[in-house]
Amino acid sequence: MNSNPDGPIRITKEEATSSHVDDLLKRQMSLRGDPGVTRDRGRVWYYQTWLVFMVVGMIGAIIAWAIIEPYFSDMIYYQGTVTSVRTDVDQESNVSKRNVVTEAVLTVRGETIYVLATTREVMNDGSMRHLDLGSIQNGETVGVYLRLVRNNQGENVAVASFLEQSPTKVSDSSVMTLAQLESRDRVSSMLLFPLVAGLIGLFIGAVDGIICRLPRRAFLCGGVGLLVGLLGGFVCHLAAEVAYMPLTSLALKQSEDTSSGLSTLGFVIQVFGRTLAWGMVGVAMGLGQGIALRSKRLLIYGLLGGVVGGLLGGMLFDPIDMIVLGPDKVSAHWSRLIGLAVIGASVGAMIGIVELLARDTWLRMTQGPLTGKEFILFKDVMNIGASPRSDIYLFNDPQVADDHAVIRSVGDECEIEARQTTHPVLLNNASTRRARLRHGDTVAIGRTIFTFQRRRG
């Protein structure tokens, strides 16, 4: 600007094109009631809660899988040197109540392992073939994929499902005892549900704070989500085991006459049991945000969404396992990865969908840094301002006070109140101190503009 007050006023290009000039022009147009000041972009797809929760829920489940998978086994893998091969086995001493035949008994590194007629040999290229017992020699190193089952005398015995001759790599199972491997398998199975629930709860709880640039809320909600998921997942795992194990046993009984795998009825029972189990664990996956923010509404949304998502993901787990790798496999790690990812995505998506269907009132940002994002009014008193402690945080705007406005629920209605006389709130382009909000009202706070919306009916 020219320093001479009597001379012409000179405005530089930088001053004329600055954002401050745009803000002043828009405010003047708003005060005059001119149309076209802002354009309502509606809901933006990448800010939709169900989609965001679906993605982060899936990421949390995948990370949980990556942590637990190295220690998780569908069957115990035991490696060692063969010291005895006996084929003259008494057929009356079947190793289980199922109609299977014992063909041989191996002694591998001091452990007795029963070989059945259905035991397959795993080749170096991953293919399967019928096991040739004559090819197994004393002193040979083998790897055995086995299960512990009860024999006719009620004792636990090791039964080989697959056998690998001359394994190409040495694993820790070559030095651990069968009892140690069984204990590790039991611990990893016990940690699977809590870890998946905890990490899904962590990511779903933290993501809204991350999007809104509220690190304190992200840490708080994420931390509570992790803790509730771990503890709730462990408790729900115990309850799920009570329901799941009898159904699994029933599924196996339906397959007594099947040479391998489950019968159709057994598979249906297995799917039902797993669906019920994951539905129980889903209870703990969506509670973190509601507990951390002390919001009954968010708590209900998370509870319902978690249960429905867990049921849906659990129902798809076994069919995915069958489609991806089929029943004849030594490990289901890839299908378990996909199955857990589906569970995480289902839980996240259903929490968002329940929230979408059940919400009563919300603000949609039509102009501002998060244009298109919707903010649910999840508490009776919602603070709006430039303070990170605000329920709706408006960052990087010098025109917004730390404690700028508050929205209160008054019965079935909502009202907005300006907290600062020096920092106005514009309702439908007019400055207001306190006013009742109606569906479709526009609320301008600094450079940010919202549309107030209420569920119809």
Side-chain angles (χ1 to χ4, degrees):
M1 303 286 284
N2 195 330
S3 60
N4 183 4
D6 297 326
I9 298 175
R10 301 182 186 279
I11 302 175
T12 66
K13 180 180 178 181
E14 289 75 14
E15 291 171 334
T17 58
S18 68
S19 60
H20 180 63
V21 174
D22 292 336
D23 293 336
L24 292 176
L25 289 173
K26 288 178 180 179
R27 176 157 298 195
Q28 185 181 24
M29 294 171 68
S30 295
L31 291 173
R32 292 202 309 263
D34 292 349
V37 177
T38 61
R39 179 171 63 91
D40 188 348
R41 292 175 54 187
R43 296 170 62 203
V44 178
W45 67 270
Y46 49 81
Y47 280 140
Q48 293 185 42
T49 304
W50 69 267
L51 178 62
V52 173
F53 281 1
M54 181 181 74
V55 173
V56 300
M58 181 170 61
I59 292 174
I62 290 174
I63 293 177
W65 171 86
I67 293 173
I68 199 67
E69 187 62 34
Y71 309 99
F72 191 90
S73 301
D74 297 280
M75 290 175 281
I76 298 174
Y77 180 70
Y78 184 73
Q79 195 176 94
T81 303
V82 178
T83 57
S84 171
V85 180
R86 291 192 300 112
T87 56
D88 54 337
V89 182
D90 182 5
Q91 296 303 316
E92 296 299 322
S93 60
N94 287 338
V95 298
S96 74
K97 295 180 181 180
R98 298 178 64 188
N99 296 327
V100 294
V101 177
T102 304
E103 290 205 335
V105 177
L106 306 181
T107 303
V108 179
R109 198 156 50 88
E111 297 288 350
T112 300
I113 299 175
Y114 289 81
V115 178
L116 308 181
T118 55
T119 302
R120 307 286 301 280
E121 181 181 358
V122 181
M123 310 302 293
N124 290 335
D125 59 0
S127 61
M128 307 280 186
R129 72 177 186 182
H130 178 73
L131 177 62
D132 181 12
L133 291 173
S135 64
I136 302 176
Q137 304 295 326
N138 288 338
E140 178 185 2
T141 299
V142 297
V144 185
Y145 296 89
L146 55 86
R147 302 180 188 275
L148 296 179
V149 300
R150 290 189 179 276
N151 63 7
N152 292 334
Q153 289 74 43
E155 303 170 336
N156 278 336
V157 295
V159 177
S161 297
F162 302 94
L163 188 141
E164 183 181 14
Q165 292 186 259
S166 303
T168 55
K169 62 179 181 179
V170 178
S171 68
D172 54 3
S173 62
S174 64
V175 295
M176 297 177 66
T177 66
L178 190 57
Q180 290 172 330
L181 291 171
E182 181 189 8
S183 298
R184 187 181 72 174
D185 184 63
R186 189 182 301 114
V187 171
S188 62
S189 298
M190 187 178 299
L191 291 177
L192 176 65
F193 280 52
L195 187 62
V196 172
L199 289 183
I200 291 176
L202 167 66
F203 279 75
I204 291 177
V207 67
D208 194 60
I210 294 173
I211 291 176
C212 296
R213 303 188 187 181
L214 291 168
R216 180 178 176 274
R217 181 185 295 181
F219 280 115
L220 176 62
C221 295
V224 172
L226 175 64
L227 183 62
V228 172
L230 288 173
L231 296 179
F234 179 74
V235 172
C236 293
H237 165 72
L238 297 179
E241 284 294 297
V242 173
Y244 178 66
M245 294 309 295
L247 289 172
T248 300
S249 299
L250 180 60
L252 291 175
K253 287 181 179 179
Q254 303 303 316
S255 307
E256 288 183 352
D257 297 327
T258 313
S259 60
S260 63
L262 294 173
S263 65
T264 302
L265 179 58
F267 180 74
V268 171
I269 296 173
Q270 173 84 0
V271 170
F272 177 77
R274 202 181 300 275
T275 300
L276 184 62
W278 279 108
M280 292 181 180
V281 178
V283 170
M285 296 184 188
L287 301 181
Q289 195 174 28
I291 293 175
L293 298 179
R294 300 178 182 179
S295 170
K296 183 185 295 185
R297 295 174 189 173
L298 293 181
L299 193 66
I300 294 174
Y301 299 159
L303 175 64
L304 293 177
V307 171
V308 175
L311 289 171
L312 178 61
M315 182 175 64
L316 296 174
F317 192 98
D318 287 292
I320 288 173
D321 177 49
M322 294 290 293
I323 293 171
V324 173
L325 293 178
D328 196 14
K329 55 187 177 297
V330 299
S331 174
H333 56 281
W334 291 120
S335 52
R336 185 161 42 250
L337 167 62
I338 299 174
L340 292 180
V342 168
I343 287 173
S346 300
V347 169
M350 291 311 302
I351 292 174
I353 290 172
V354 169
E355 179 181 293
L356 179 67
L357 296 176
R359 63 186 180 175
D360 295 318
T361 54
W362 64 96
L363 293 175
R364 185 175 71 245
M365 188 179 290
T366 57
Q367 178 175 301
L370 299 175
T371 297
K373 179 169 173 54
E374 296 174 337
F375 298 84
I376 293 178
L377 304 182
F378 58 85
K379 295 195 300 186
D380 291 337
V381 178
M382 296 281 292
N383 294 305
I384 306 174
S387 169
R389 294 181 179 271
S390 302
D391 297 302
I392 300 178
Y393 173 42
L394 303 181
F395 47 87
N396 296 336
D397 190 344
Q399 299 175 16
V400 179
D402 284 352
D403 188 14
H404 197 113
V406 62
I407 296 180
R408 294 188 181 91
S409 295
V410 182
D412 294 331
E413 303 294 333
C414 291
E415 66 177 25
I416 189 167
E417 179 184 355
R419 287 288 184 87
Q420 309 286 338
T421 57
T422 56
H423 293 78
V425 172
L426 300 182
L427 179 62
N428 298 324
N429 301 325
S431 179
T432 184
R433 180 64 180 169
R434 178 186 293 177
R436 186 69 54 90
L437 292 172
R438 294 176 175 82
H439 180 79
D441 283 348
T442 60
V443 178
I445 299 176
R447 300 173 182 171
T448 303
I449 298 179
F450 299 96
T451 297
F452 175 78
Q453 295 188 313
R454 177 185 296 279
R455 183 160 57 94
R456 298 296 180 88

